[in-house]
């Protein structure tokens, strides 16, 4: 599936237990259609100590993947979750733009 969300985009969760939270996209998992969002969908992992890698054991909190359909890109100009469109500029470059305020993304 082709997604319009990229790494380092600011996104808002629009469905699920973390609805309304905003964070930065850390990683995109294309094969599973999921994204990792900073400080969203936190889970606890119980890990065993590994003395060879100098890793202590214990409970670690980390982000779990969230489906692409449950997040929306937040526009910097209008600060609202929006859909993303594509258009070509005069010099022939393809750029993304906000469907609410028509502002182009970085």
């Amino acid at each position: 599936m082709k997604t319009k969300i990229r790494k380092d985009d600011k996104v808002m969760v629009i469905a699920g237990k973390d609805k309304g939270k905003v964070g930065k996209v850390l990683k995109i998992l294309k094969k599973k259609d999921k994204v990792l969002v900073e400080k969203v969908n936190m889970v606890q992992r119980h890990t065993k100590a590994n003395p060879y890698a100098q890793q202590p054991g214990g409970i670690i909190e980390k982000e779990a993947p969230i489906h692409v359909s449950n997040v929306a890109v937040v526009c910097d100009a209008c600060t609202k979750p929006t859909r993303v469109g594509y258009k070509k500029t005069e010099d022939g470059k393809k750029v993304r733009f906000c469907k609410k305020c028509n502002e182009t993304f970085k």
Side-chain angles (χ1 to χ4, degrees):
M1 180 178 164
K2 190 173 183 326
T3 178
K4 296 181 179 181
I5 297 173
R6 294 182 185 166
K7 186 179 175 186
D8 294 330
D9 274 350
K10 196 163 128 182
V11 294
M12 178 184 278
V13 180
I14 57 173
K17 67 172 187 167
D18 292 323
K19 183 177 180 178
K21 288 189 180 178
V22 178
K24 187 174 80 168
V25 175
L26 300 174
K27 191 175 184 181
I28 296 175
L29 308 168
K30 281 190 177 184
K31 289 186 179 179
K32 295 182 180 181
D33 295 333
K34 296 189 176 196
V35 292
L36 274 178
V37 184
E38 186 177 40
K39 302 292 182 199
V40 173
N41 199 20
M42 299 297 285
V43 293
Q44 293 180 335
R45 291 285 177 250
H46 298 263
T47 58
K48 193 182 251 188
N50 186 352
Y52 300 110
Q54 279 82 34
Q55 287 182 338
I59 301 170
I60 297 173
E61 282 216 357
K62 65 179 198 173
E63 295 94 358
I66 187 167
H67 199 268
V68 178
S69 65
N70 294 334
V71 295
V73 178
V74 175
C75 177
D76 293 329
C78 59
T79 62
K80 295 179 183 173
T82 181
R83 290 174 300 160
V84 176
Y86 288 99
K87 63 182 175 184
K88 291 205 175 193
T89 58
E90 294 83 34
D91 54 322
K93 286 189 178 179
K94 187 178 173 183
V95 293
R96 299 186 305 158
F97 72 97
C98 170
K99 292 261 188 149
K100 284 191 178 176
C101 66
N102 250 359
E103 191 72 31
T104 58
F105 289 108
K106 53 181 162 78

